[in-house]
Amino acid sequence: MSSLRLLAAIPFPFKPLRLFHGAQPLTVRPGHTAALHFPGFLLWCKVIVIAAGWLAASGEVIRMDSALPTTQSKSSETGASRRETVTITDNRTGKSYELPITHDTIRAMDLRQIKVHPEDFGLISYDPAYNNTASCISRITYIDGDKGILRYRGYSIEELAEKSTYLETAYLLLRGELPTAAQLKDWQYNVTHHTFIHESIKKFLDGFHYDAHPMGMVISTIAALSTFYNDAKDIFNEESRRKQTYRLVGKMPTIAAFAYRHTLGMPYVYPDNDLSYPGNFLNMLFRTSETRYRPNPTLERALDILFILHADHEQNCSTNTVRGVGSSHVDPYSATAAAIAALYGPLHGGANEEVVRMLHEIGSVQKVPEFIKRVKAGETKLMGFGHRVYKNYDPRARIIKRVAYEVFDLMGKNPLLEIALECERIALEDEYFVKRKLYPNVDFYTGLIYQSMGFPTTMFPVLFAIPRMSGWIAQWEELLLDAEQKIARPRQIYLGYDTRSYAPIEQRL
Ligand code: ACO
């Protein structure tokens, strides 16, 4: 590594920083180089160089002893002789501070010792949108954005997509290990036996307008579940958490399907416990007059794979939200409803809906170059392209492209596919996209698959939210059990007015 990199580790989400929705704080990646340079680090380097001579004379170095937990520490790989610290010199005072580095990370709280006067607050770091700030230590999902790697609990997404099922993967995310046959049977039984919803929920679903967006209905309904299950407030009780997990994972497809049926004015279809998780979801969505719905196995498996791919994605916007809201110790229904709301946005889980709208707007393959020109001029975005973390390719997008062709073979080719392929072809060659490392993300092809499967565009973000529920709960539980975490409370840099006197209204101009 040619230059030292820093990551501001903070003991709970948002703590010393401004809170920005749309933010994606990074998880500490054991043994991996921190992805982005700490804001102001270059300034620190300059400070160190300028002060070097002076330092030799003064020689005062204040050592901190607040390293992160050292499991899987990088120092063990790199030899004992290297000092895993960074020295920062404050040119205002000439003092130097030696901060511990663990996992290529310094603790943001270590900066607070750096002050001119003893009564000063001390230095804080500024990182809008969490470009270079880890908000937690996590053991759930690992991403190497440069190499295009995604792993759940150590298992590659490619292997899980090929060999696992969504429910098995959800178990892995939640419990940390793949289940034994008996554990899987028990887990499937419990999820399946929590798919029904209280009849009163149907009543307030009926209250939504006929053209209500299903994502809005799902957010509200999940939030409302907290009023049905008072035991959910007992968040430090493992049994209670387990029960709410069955309910949330089990009821998500039911609520999503009911929201969809409501928009069509069709009667709700109750869960069929003999079907698989995705098969039952298709049943509740599409069953009409048949006595027994039998899902098409290709579509059932395609949906299951899509669910696996969407199950977790470390500290993205919605996961950051579930952790932030959960840090106030609210019940999991309220916390996950907030996460669904975060996912709804067009820059996050709402992007799949926007991709299809964009492809319709482009209209034909011939018009793609003209559209790309507009993107490059900054007039619009190429939706489904770009990612905060993936700067090479999104491994999920590759798998999805393959699944797309399997669905098209069965359902017929989506007419928008040619336009999508042309956008991808031009963008992958064009300097604008290459320079900015913009590649198709998970949402670029999912919309086309969902459309071919018969879903209206408004259901696309809902299809994302259903499987992400398991990831959100895993992250929420990890937060609750992490002794270092506290209520999420960022700092700010106040640049508003200093004190002013109140003027009576008649004196105001
Ligand atoms: N089309 C055109 N230009 C883009 C795009 C895009 N889709 N994405 C990023 N850029 C440009 C930006 O304008 C910026 O250019 P500049 O350096 O000249 O100012 C540069 O690439 C870097 O982009 P940022 O906005 O800094 O990247 P950031 O990491 O903040 O944003 C995001 C990531 C939100 C995903 C962005 O790429 C985007 O808006 N993509 C389109 C929406 C989308 O597909 N979202 C789904 C993401 S996956 C998910 O959440 C499930």
Side-chain angles (χ1 to χ4, degrees):
M1 188 166 60
S2 57
S3 64
L4 176 62
R5 294 168 186 198
L6 295 182
L7 195 70
I10 48 176
F12 49 87
F14 324 132
K15 189 177 178 189
L17 310 164
R18 285 184 173 189
L19 170 59
F20 279 74
H21 276 289
Q24 301 202 15
L26 303 167
T27 315
V28 174
R29 291 169 289 174
H32 187 267
T33 303
L36 296 157
H37 286 268
F38 180 68
F41 180 60
L42 288 177
L43 180 65
W44 286 120
C45 291
K46 204 171 154 199
V47 166
I48 290 167
V49 171
I50 293 167
W54 188 91
L55 242 189
S58 83
E60 188 189 358
V61 177
I62 299 161
R63 289 210 165 84
M64 318 296 308
D65 188 22
S66 54
L68 290 155
T70 53
T71 42
Q72 294 175 287
S73 169
K74 194 168 168 67
S75 56
S76 59
E77 293 165 22
T78 50
S81 59
R82 199 172 83 172
R83 280 240 303 276
E84 292 293 319
T85 62
V86 63
T87 301
I88 293 172
T89 300
D90 185 350
N91 276 351
R92 300 171 301 175
T93 60
K95 280 188 193 156
S96 288
Y97 302 81
E98 189 176 348
L99 314 185
I101 299 172
T102 318
H103 312 300
D104 294 308
T105 305
I106 63 158
R107 279 187 181 270
M109 279 302 283
D110 282 351
L111 299 174
R112 286 276 282 281
Q113 329 285 322
I114 303 175
K115 12 176 120 170
V116 175
H117 304 290
E119 66 278 11
D120 285 353
F121 187 76
L123 275 192
I124 61 171
S125 57
Y126 175 58
D127 185 13
Y130 298 103
N131 273 296
N132 199 41
T133 293
S135 63
C136 62
I137 290 173
S138 183
R139 293 178 174 80
I140 302 171
T141 292
Y142 173 80
I143 299 175
D144 183 329
D146 293 331
K147 294 193 184 125
I149 291 173
L150 168 61
R151 294 184 201 129
Y152 298 158
R153 303 277 189 188
Y155 295 96
S156 81
I157 195 67
E158 289 81 5
E159 203 175 3
L160 290 170
E162 191 193 329
K163 298 175 184 165
S164 188
T165 61
Y166 169 67
L167 272 193
E168 186 186 61
T169 299
Y171 183 100
L172 171 71
L173 286 168
L174 287 156
R175 308 273 171 87
E177 297 295 336
L178 284 169
T180 62
Q183 285 166 337
L184 184 61
K185 198 170 160 211
D186 181 62
W187 165 241
Q188 280 169 335
Y189 177 90
N190 278 306
V191 170
T192 307
H193 285 79
H194 285 88
T195 49
F196 275 68
I197 55 174
H198 196 287
E199 287 293 296
S200 298
I201 292 173
K202 275 174 35 186
K203 285 188 208 144
F204 67 75
L205 271 175
D206 284 341
F208 283 105
H209 207 40
Y210 73 95
D211 61 353
H213 196 292
M215 198 68 167
M217 288 193 253
V218 173
I219 295 168
S220 317
T221 310
I222 292 294
L225 287 186
S226 77
T227 66
F228 286 79
Y229 304 113
N230 288 326
D231 58 326
K233 290 189 179 8
D234 199 3
I235 57 170
F236 289 105
N237 177 331
E238 191 182 350
E239 251 329 287
S240 167
R241 286 200 306 272
R242 203 157 272 202
K243 192 100 184 253
Q244 314 320 320
T245 303
Y246 298 143
R247 287 174 175 152
L248 277 164
V249 176
K251 292 180 202 315
M252 267 304 274
T254 314
I255 292 166
F258 280 27
Y260 170 68
R261 302 282 291 203
H262 174 75
T263 60
L264 296 180
M266 302 252 308
Y268 303 124
V269 175
Y270 285 89
D272 180 341
N273 287 359
D274 292 334
L275 294 174
S276 70
Y277 189 83
N280 175 45
F281 179 48
L282 290 168
N283 158 61
M284 291 187 288
L285 288 164
F286 299 130
R287 193 176 130 209
T288 48
S289 57
E290 58 274 50
T291 25
R292 211 71 205 273
Y293 179 85
R294 291 277 161 247
N296 179 293
T298 305
L299 299 186
E300 189 181 7
R301 180 60 191 153
L303 201 55
D304 212 24
I305 293 174
L306 289 166
F307 282 179
I308 293 169
L309 300 182
H310 287 88
D312 195 48
H313 212 235
E314 56 119 304
Q315 307 313 309
N316 53 74
C317 177
S318 55
T319 303
N320 182 40
T321 302
V322 82
R323 280 181 174 263
V325 175
S327 78
S328 75
H329 292 176
V330 74
D331 67 86
Y333 301 101
S334 305
T336 53
I340 305 171
L343 188 73
Y344 192 4
L347 297 189
H348 193 15
N352 48 20
E353 203 179 338
E354 296 303 319
V355 170
V356 169
R357 282 215 184 95
M358 175 191 78
L359 296 174
H360 273 298
E361 186 196 319
I362 296 171
S364 72
V365 172
Q366 292 71 31
K367 290 190 181 153
V368 171
E370 190 188 315
F371 183 78
I372 297 283
K373 231 187 240 172
R374 284 183 51 216
V375 171
K376 286 161 66 176
E379 288 171 32
T380 184
K381 271 191 170 176
L382 184 56
M383 296 309 286
F385 260 68
H387 201 277
R388 171 63 58 80
V389 181
Y390 293 122
K391 299 297 175 194
N392 180 337
Y393 67 92
D394 182 337
R396 300 167 302 174
R398 274 199 183 157
I399 302 167
I400 284 168
K401 209 169 165 183
R402 177 177 56 74
V403 174
Y405 282 103
E406 284 166 22
V407 172
F408 299 154
D409 281 348
L410 183 78
M411 308 297 286
K413 202 164 81 180
N414 189 318
L416 297 176
L417 178 67
E418 294 303 331
I419 304 173
L421 287 170
E422 184 63 2
C423 287
E424 185 181 355
R425 191 190 64 77
I426 297 183
L428 293 183
E429 289 171 359
D430 191 292
E431 204 212 330
Y432 175 94
F433 297 91
V434 174
K435 210 172 94 193
R436 290 169 178 79
K437 300 188 172 178
L438 301 172
Y439 296 89
N441 59 47
V442 68
D443 288 318
F444 193 63
Y445 284 103
T446 46
L448 296 183
I449 305 179
Y450 296 147
Q451 203 179 40
S452 291
M453 288 171 95
F455 291 103
T457 47
T458 51
M459 277 299 282
F460 297 177
V462 175
L463 290 158
F464 194 148
I466 293 170
R468 185 54 61 87
M469 183 54 80
S470 57
W472 287 329
I473 302 170
Q475 299 271 353
W476 167 75
E477 203 162 18
E478 189 176 65
L479 163 101
L480 292 180
L481 301 179
D482 183 344
E484 273 202 309
Q485 294 287 348
K486 297 182 185 182
I487 188 165
R489 202 326 184 167
R491 297 277 167 195
Q492 65 165 9
I493 299 167
Y494 177 72
L495 296 179
Y497 284 105
D498 207 344
T499 182
R500 298 201 280 176
S501 294
Y502 180 87
I505 196 159
E506 59 279 5
Q507 289 176 15
R508 290 176 218 156
L509 295 174

